[in-house]
Amino acid sequence: MSSTLLISQEKKQKKEEINQFEPLSVSFRVLLGLYLIIPLCLLLYGLDKALWQEWLHDNLPSRPTHFLLFQVLFGTPHILASTILLVSNGDYFRFYKKHLFWMTVAIIVVFGVGSLFIPYRVFYIAVATWTVFHVLKQQHGVARGVCQLPAWAYHVLLGLSVAAGGLIYIGIFLHTSLDAQMMAQIQSTAGVLTLLLLMSAFYCQRYVNNSFGRYFLWMNVLLVVSSFYLYSQSYYFFAILIPRLVHDATAYIFYVTHDYNKHAAIPQNALYRFAKRYSISIFIILPVLSFFLAFVLQAYGDAVVSWLTVQVFGVEIRKAVTLGVLGYFALMHYYSEAITWKVGSPYRQFILFSK
C-alpha cells in the first residue's frame, strides 16, 4: 500500500512539474546583440591606430590558433557541444545514425585515402570553404526567418558572403605560405566580392518589410565587410574573431534553449538526470562540459596519445587528437548541423522564437 501511494505521489509531482514548465524561446534581439562585436573590434582597431602605436597589430597573433585560449574559447567547444547534444540523446542518435555512418565513411575515404594523392593545399582550401559556408549559412539561415527574403535573394547574399569570406579565410590562414602576388590577387578578388555583396544588399533590402529584418540583413553583410576591412589592414585576429564569436555564441543559445525545453520538466537522458539529482543548473551543463573537454583535448590530448603510442608501439604519432579526433568532429559537425536543425527535424520541436 505504501509503495503504491509513493508511486502515485511521484506521478502527481511529475504532472505538476510538467504543468508548471514554461518553455524558453530564442530571442532575436539577443541574437542581434551578438553583432556588437563588430563595432567593438573596429573601435579597438581605431584606438590602436590612433593612440597605441599599433601595439595590438604587432602583438596579437597573426592566426587566432596561435592562442590555445582562443581554440578553447571558440570553435572547438561548440563543435563538442553539438556532438554531445547528438550522441547523448538516444532518439536523435538512432534517427541520424545512417547519416553519421555514411558521413564517417566519406571522411575516411576522402581524407584518409585521398590524402595519399590530393595536395594538402587543395584539402585546406576545401575545408576552409566548407567552414566559412557553415558559419555564414547559420547566420543567414537565422536571419532568413526574420527578413522573409525571396529564395533567390537569400542565395545571392549567402553565395557572395561565402565567396568573399572564403577568400578572406584563405588569405589569413595561408598568408605565410603564399607569395605577394597571390596574396594581392586574393585580397583584390575578396574586395570585389565584398563590394558586390554591399550592392546586392542595397537592392535586396527592398524585399524586407520590417525594420527588424533589415537590421539582421545588414548585420550579416557587415559581418563580412568588417572582416574584409580588418583583413586588408592585417588585423587578422579581429577579422577572424568577429564571425567566430557571433557564430559560436548563436549556436550555444540554440543548444542551451533546446536542452532546457527538452529536459527541464523531465530529463530525457542520463546527463540531465545526473544534473537534476545533484541540483546542477541545466543552463551550465552543456557549456561547462564542452569547454572542459575542449581544454583537456587541446592542451593534453596530443601529448597523451604520443606518449601511449611510443610506450605501446614504439612509434610517436603526433597531433592525433587536434588533427585526427577534433578534425573528424569538426567535419561531422559541419555536415550534421546542416540536417539536424532543418524545419521538421526532431531538434526543432524544442525551439521557439521571440523578438
Side-chain angles (χ1 to χ4, degrees):
M1 179 69 74
S2 59
S3 60
T4 303
L5 181 60
L6 181 60
I7 293 173
S8 177
Q9 289 175 341
E10 289 178 351
K11 287 183 178 180
K12 183 178 179 181
Q13 183 179 356
K14 287 182 179 180
K15 287 182 179 180
E16 289 177 353
E17 290 176 355
I18 293 173
N19 291 334
Q20 294 174 358
F21 172 71
E22 293 185 9
L24 294 179
S25 60
V26 175
S27 168
F28 284 119
R29 293 184 186 278
V30 172
L31 296 181
L32 196 60
L34 298 176
Y35 291 85
L36 288 173
I37 188 64
I38 296 174
L40 176 60
C41 285
L42 291 174
L43 175 61
L44 290 173
Y45 158 78
L47 291 173
D48 195 48
K49 282 283 192 181
L51 302 176
W52 300 336
Q53 290 78 50
E54 298 190 356
W55 185 92
L56 290 177
H57 178 274
D58 297 336
N59 288 276
L60 285 175
S62 58
R63 291 172 56 178
T65 49
H66 289 169
F67 276 160
L68 172 62
L69 178 62
F70 193 98
Q71 283 296 94
V72 170
L73 291 177
F74 302 106
T76 302
H78 99 279
I79 289 172
L80 294 176
S82 170
T83 304
I84 293 168
L85 191 156
L86 178 57
V87 301
S88 66
N89 292 285
D91 52 337
Y92 294 167
F93 186 77
R94 289 188 295 271
F95 188 87
Y96 292 110
K97 64 181 179 181
K98 288 185 179 179
H99 293 275
L100 301 178
F101 172 78
W102 288 114
M103 185 58 190
T104 299
V105 172
I107 291 173
I108 292 172
V109 171
V110 175
F111 290 89
V113 179
S115 63
L116 300 176
F117 54 88
I118 299 177
Y120 168 78
R121 189 167 289 178
V122 174
F123 270 123
Y124 192 93
I125 292 173
V127 173
T129 304
W130 197 6
T131 300
V132 172
F133 175 76
H134 165 73
V135 168
L136 294 177
K137 187 175 186 297
Q138 173 185 285
Q139 301 313 126
H140 281 266
V142 171
R144 190 180 188 182
V146 186
C147 297
Q148 297 295 315
L149 285 172
W152 67 265
Y154 163 77
H155 286 108
V156 165
L157 294 178
L158 176 60
L160 288 171
S161 297
V162 172
L167 288 175
I168 294 168
Y169 191 101
I170 291 167
I172 291 174
F173 285 94
L174 292 182
H175 76 276
T176 57
S177 60
L178 298 175
D179 58 49
Q181 184 179 0
M182 182 64 73
M183 285 295 295
Q185 290 176 347
I186 289 174
Q187 183 171 317
S188 61
T189 305
V192 170
L193 289 168
T194 301
L195 180 60
L196 288 174
L197 174 63
L198 274 169
M199 295 169 61
S200 299
F202 276 112
Y203 181 81
C204 290
Q205 72 173 346
R206 69 181 64 187
Y207 296 101
V208 182
N209 57 15
N210 63 87
S211 59
F212 202 65
R214 282 192 287 273
Y215 293 149
F216 257 107
L217 184 150
W218 280 105
M219 286 302 100
N220 281 331
V221 171
L222 292 176
L223 202 69
V224 176
V225 173
S226 60
S227 288
F228 170 75
Y229 179 72
L230 291 166
Y231 156 64
S232 69
Q233 300 301 305
S234 300
Y235 280 76
Y236 299 141
F237 184 87
F238 289 149
I240 293 295
L241 176 64
I242 287 173
R244 185 81 269 177
L245 185 143
V246 172
H247 172 79
D248 291 12
T250 299
Y252 267 110
I253 289 172
F254 274 81
Y255 297 159
V256 173
T257 301
H258 166 278
D259 281 4
Y260 179 84
N261 291 341
K262 183 177 176 68
H263 300 287
I266 300 178
Q268 302 294 313
N269 64 25
L271 181 63
Y272 286 99
R273 282 193 290 270
F274 174 87
K276 185 172 184 179
R277 180 181 300 172
Y278 293 98
S279 300
I280 303 173
S281 172
I282 201 169
F283 295 104
I284 69 170
I285 292 295
L286 198 60
V288 169
L289 182 57
S290 58
F291 275 81
F292 173 76
L293 288 175
F295 172 76
V296 171
L297 292 174
Q298 290 282 355
Y300 305 110
D302 288 336
V304 170
V305 171
S306 295
W307 181 85
L308 285 174
T309 55
V310 169
Q311 299 301 313
V312 177
F313 303 108
V315 178
E316 183 181 11
I317 299 179
R318 299 181 178 181
K319 296 189 175 182
V321 172
T322 52
L323 287 181
V325 176
L326 294 181
Y328 167 76
F329 283 148
L331 294 172
M332 188 61 75
H333 169 75
Y334 298 159
Y335 170 74
S336 64
E337 290 286 285
I339 60 174
T340 54
W341 291 101
K342 285 184 175 180
V343 175
S345 73
Y347 285 35
R348 286 294 292 270
Q349 64 181 309
F350 296 104
I351 294 293
L352 304 173
F353 292 98
S354 67
K355 287 190 177 182

